[in-house]
Amino acid sequence: MRISWETLWNDIHTCERCGLHAGCTQKVPGQGDVHAPLMLIGEGPGEQEDRQGLAFVGPAGQLLTKMLDAIQLPRDRVYICNVVKCRPPRNRQPSPEEMQACIGHLRAQVALVRPRVIVLLGATAVSAVLGPDLRITRCRGQWFEKKGVSILATYHPSALLRDPAKKRDAWTDLKRVRDRLKELDLYSDLYKEDEA
Ligand code: URA
């Protein structure tokens, strides 16, 4: 049985399943269109996210907004969340145990949103959703199918800020996402003019 958003919100906000809760200002569950055909999954909240309680609102988030704009998707038409809902100290990568402790929340979000397409942003999301043996450098840009959902990994926007040379590959990946959304006839109100 699917839990409700209300129960999930309560579970996240009261969660003490790992040590991260002790060091964060507030939980960052995620936000956006709860019926979005496209879901984006990042790693975990950074400083700005921890302060505001919203996912991807810092520098990486600003770049993410531009990336979505580039494929004609307004941010409020997608659902955005992270693998872990509490900010890891000094923005370190969450440990496998911390990811494991939080994975139920992410699974519940996927079950509630029921996206048709998921984009994994960076290595932590790849590890949590596709498995720890996959490397982002090798699997990015490829489609994976899981329980009827098309899943594609690309670089995390923070990686693009650190290394702009990666932007070229990220753009290729984004165009693949746009093409798949069109193929599946998703966001047809946004993409219909392209066909005219
Ligand atoms: N990086 C992430 O992975 N998620 C955020 O919400 C912000 C930065």
Side-chain angles (χ1 to χ4, degrees):
M1 202 189 74
R2 272 190 297 158
I3 63 169
S4 66
W5 279 108
E6 195 186 347
T7 306
L8 175 60
W9 245 230
N10 193 46
D11 283 355
I12 291 175
H13 286 291
T14 55
C15 182
E16 297 189 352
R17 267 176 236 163
C18 79
L20 291 180
H21 76 93
C24 72
T25 309
Q26 59 188 318
K27 309 290 174 92
V28 181
Q31 77 271 2
D33 177 1
V34 293
H35 302 297
L38 173 63
M39 183 167 185
L40 304 171
I41 305 175
E43 177 175 295
E47 186 185 357
Q48 285 298 324
E49 291 76 20
D50 180 64
R51 213 176 271 169
Q52 297 184 42
L54 295 167
F56 280 101
V57 288
Q62 284 160 20
L63 178 56
L64 184 61
T65 304
K66 284 192 198 153
M67 290 161 68
L68 291 170
D69 272 354
I71 55 167
Q72 294 92 45
L73 282 180
R75 241 183 100 123
D76 61 2
R77 296 287 304 271
V78 306
Y79 191 82
I80 306 180
C81 62
N82 286 303
V83 173
V84 296
K85 316 304 188 203
C86 296
R87 182 190 183 197
R90 297 173 307 282
N91 298 343
R92 67 160 169 75
Q93 216 182 341
S95 69
E97 293 73 26
E98 289 158 352
M99 286 161 61
Q100 191 53 39
C102 216
I103 196 73
H105 297 140
L106 181 62
R107 290 206 182 109
Q109 282 171 305
V110 173
L112 285 163
V113 176
R114 299 175 71 194
R116 300 281 303 280
V117 177
I118 293 179
V119 172
L120 305 174
L121 301 166
T124 300
V126 167
S127 176
V129 176
L130 295 175
D133 299 330
L134 286 178
R135 293 282 153 268
I136 180 79
T137 42
R138 308 203 67 179
C139 72
R140 60 142 280 276
Q142 295 173 40
W143 286 107
F144 293 81
E145 295 294 324
K146 232 178 142 179
K147 296 180 189 162
V149 183
S150 299
I151 305 175
L152 181 136
T154 190
Y155 292 120
H156 192 286
S158 300
L160 303 178
L161 290 173
R162 281 194 302 271
D163 179 6
K166 290 194 166 88
K167 283 188 180 173
R168 197 189 166 100
D169 282 342
W171 176 232
T172 306
D173 299 343
L174 278 175
K175 284 190 287 188
R176 276 189 195 145
V177 173
R178 182 187 59 193
D179 291 348
R180 177 60 60 103
L181 294 172
K182 285 186 188 176
E183 254 168 55
L184 295 174
D185 208 16
L186 302 169
Y187 297 102
S188 48
D189 60 320
L190 299 174
Y191 291 131
K192 67 172 181 285
E193 281 169 19
D194 293 8
E195 264 111 63

